[in-house]
Amino acid sequence: MSAKPIRNVPFHRPSIGADEEREVIDTLRSGWITTGPKTKRFERDFAEYVGAKHALAVAHCTGALHLALFALGIGPGDEVITTPFTFTATAEVIGYLGARPVFVDIDPGTFNINPARIEEALERGANRNVRAIMPVHFAGQACDMDRILAIARRYDLKIVEDAAHAVGSARHLEGRGMVRIGTIGDLSCFSFYATKNITSAEGGMVTTEDDGLAARIAVASLHGMDRDAWKRYDQSGSWFYEIHDTGFKYNLSDVHSAIGVAQLKRAGEFMRRRTATARAYNEAFRSEPALQTPYVEPGVDHAWHLYVLRLRPEQLRIGRGQFVDLMRERGVGTSVHCIPLHLMDFYQKRYGYHAGDFPVAEDIYSRCVSLPIFPGMSEEDVAWTIESVLGVIRENRR
Ligand SMILES: *Cc1c(COP(=O)(O)O)cnc(C)c1O
């Protein structure tokens, strides 16, 4: 290849600015750096943002998912239906409680859990101990919640939404109109990991409309103490605390919450920028026969956490692995979402899953590639990414 001008576009760069710096310095200088007033504020702001009655800040989405299942009383011998096309955290937490993840295949258009496959798993009768469904709003596209709610009602199941990709995403629901993710299932769990739609460096949030579940999570997220145990170091506080239940150390510090408070104010702007980039990619790639652009269902506000492009291998002399390498040579960072969990050593050994179990997830995995779509991308970054994708395709057409 001749020497070409290279523009480096990382797969992701967080958008941290003066507001985040100001909030963090404010917290550092306040004399209170762990869970306290800034975390309360982050919870209030987030509850308002999604329209939820309760929002509980925790250390990460993994902890949020763990606490959600714990609060529902999921335990040994129980089964939880979820998707294999997700990050390991979704299914990992089911194992924390001694329960079993029951994977079902995904929809080939949205990559979300396929409600028809959920019904099959329940009707087959092989899974008699299913207590809950954990849909993942993959890439920021909300799942078909009308159908999942109907299934949950029919089989008396709880719903814990893995909303790690879904800050800002919404879906049209029967009888409710457009509804932001966070108030649909029994509990919704969000991530503020560095690469997610908004970040607090590390962090998570559980939302629910249920007072009892909220109270249980508040206590369990800090060693089983009263929620306001942190006040014991305050002037108003007392040295005494009681342990009410099994607990975990999942509280979020005020330093992290400070970043989150500033980021949440920018969530709308971030989503607009991500959407504009997705639109530019769709325009550029739609008519290229070797590429398949993402499908978006009607009635969905996609949050575009990820932009997942599919290659059509029958049109190309290269596979996905080489595509990633050639993009890197042009200075563009890409990634792959997701490696299906049932192909991983741990899930095969522990739960007996095999390659071939979920053909739709495997087909998508074999040819998907995630392009950069962070809100701080410049127009030149987007243009260079498009030019690089089309260049690699042109040079490697069959
Ligand atoms: C990132 C992610 C998680 C875990 O989030 P953390 O905040 O890092 O614990 C869970 N589920 C999905 C689908 C994710 O992408």
Side-chain angles (χ1 to χ4, degrees):
M1 200 169 86
S2 60
K4 280 192 179 150
I6 292 285
R7 183 180 182 87
N8 276 303
V9 183
F11 177 66
H12 181 78
R13 193 190 308 119
S15 292
I16 299 293
D19 290 352
E20 287 79 2
E21 290 172 7
R22 209 173 306 115
E23 287 288 355
V24 168
I25 287 170
D26 176 63
T27 295
L28 292 176
R29 289 179 180 165
S30 74
W32 196 281
I33 56 176
T34 187
T35 310
K38 199 77 87 176
T39 302
K40 284 267 179 234
R41 161 110 177 274
F42 189 27
E43 291 177 333
R44 258 197 321 270
D45 292 355
F46 196 83
E48 191 184 331
Y49 177 76
V50 301
K53 185 165 184 200
H54 300 281
L56 300 123
V58 289
H60 31 71
C61 182
T62 306
L65 293 164
H66 181 196
L67 288 166
L69 294 178
F70 173 81
L72 291 172
I74 304 292
D78 290 338
E79 295 171 313
V80 178
I81 293 181
T82 191
T83 165
F85 204 67
T86 184
F87 182 59
T88 187
T90 315
E92 172 187 0
V93 299
I94 299 170
Y96 286 2
L97 294 157
R100 175 187 170 81
V102 174
F103 295 131
V104 302
D105 212 347
I106 56 175
D107 179 278
T110 62
F111 310 169
N112 279 331
I113 194 165
N114 187 332
R117 301 286 98 77
I118 300 177
E119 282 172 332
E120 275 168 25
L122 290 163
E123 280 160 13
R124 215 169 36 225
N127 306 111
R128 296 183 180 286
N129 301 311
V130 177
R131 301 267 320 277
I133 306 171
M134 284 175 88
V136 178
H137 305 298
F138 184 81
Q141 168 151 239
C143 294
D144 185 347
M145 293 310 295
D146 276 327
R147 279 193 68 190
I148 294 172
L149 284 166
I151 295 168
R153 232 174 277 127
R154 181 153 18 104
Y155 288 90
D156 192 24
L157 306 176
K158 300 295 183 186
I159 298 175
V160 174
E161 293 170 51
D162 182 337
H165 301 178
V167 169
S169 75
R171 171 145 196 141
H172 186 275
L173 284 190
E174 274 167 36
R176 285 183 67 185
M178 278 312 271
V179 176
R180 230 177 225 167
I181 294 303
T183 61
I184 303 173
D186 295 278
L187 297 136
S188 304
C189 301
F190 296 86
S191 175
F192 311 125
Y193 180 70
T195 60
K196 299 290 160 70
N197 302 40
I198 65 165
T199 186
S200 60
E202 296 278 359
M205 193 77 76
V206 190
T207 61
T208 183
E209 302 305 290
D210 186 303
D211 298 343
L213 291 174
R216 187 128 200 248
I217 287 172
V219 171
S221 65
L222 190 61
H223 304 298
M225 291 181 190
D226 303 312
R227 175 60 168 177
D228 288 340
W230 57 271
K231 281 195 185 142
R232 76 188 190 278
Y233 296 116
D234 199 343
Q235 279 165 348
S236 63
S238 137
W239 53 267
F240 186 77
Y241 60 87
E242 178 62 287
I243 301 299
H244 298 287
D245 197 353
T246 303
F248 309 93
K249 171 70 179 176
Y250 279 152
N251 59 303
L252 186 69
S253 86
D254 268 21
V255 178
H256 291 91
S257 294
I259 306 173
V261 162
Q263 287 265 299
L264 187 57
K265 291 199 194 113
R266 303 168 68 193
E269 173 212 329
F270 287 175
M271 191 159 145
R272 275 190 297 281
R273 300 196 64 139
R274 288 174 180 275
T275 304
T277 301
R279 205 166 285 149
Y281 285 161
N282 284 338
E283 282 295 308
F285 304 142
R286 196 160 24 220
S287 55
E288 169 51 66
L291 297 174
Q292 200 177 350
T293 52
Y295 168 73
V296 180
E297 277 190 331
V300 165
D301 270 353
H302 200 308
W304 294 110
H305 166 57
L306 300 172
Y307 185 92
V308 179
L309 196 59
R310 274 167 287 178
L311 308 180
R312 293 192 194 272
E314 66 280 9
Q315 308 266 353
L316 295 168
R317 286 182 285 107
I318 54 167
R320 189 265 320 283
Q322 287 157 292
F323 181 88
V324 168
D325 293 343
L326 293 168
M327 288 295 286
R328 189 183 300 120
E329 279 179 21
R330 290 168 193 253
V332 179
T334 60
S335 190
V336 172
H337 300 89
C338 295
I339 307 168
L341 298 181
H342 72 285
L343 300 181
M344 295 202 178
D345 185 54
F346 169 75
Y347 290 96
Q348 297 192 345
K349 279 204 203 115
R350 170 95 171 250
Y351 300 110
Y353 289 108
H354 301 97
D357 285 348
F358 306 106
V360 178
E362 287 172 42
D363 168 61
I364 294 165
Y365 167 58
S366 71
R367 57 199 186 88
C368 67
V369 60
S370 305
L371 301 183
I373 191 165
F374 55 92
M377 284 179 89
S378 65
E379 273 177 41
E380 292 78 14
D381 290 337
V382 175
W384 178 250
T385 303
I386 289 171
E387 195 183 319
S388 301
V389 168
L390 294 177
V392 170
I393 294 297
R394 253 190 319 268
E395 286 168 22
N396 294 283
R397 214 186 288 285
R398 199 185 282 281

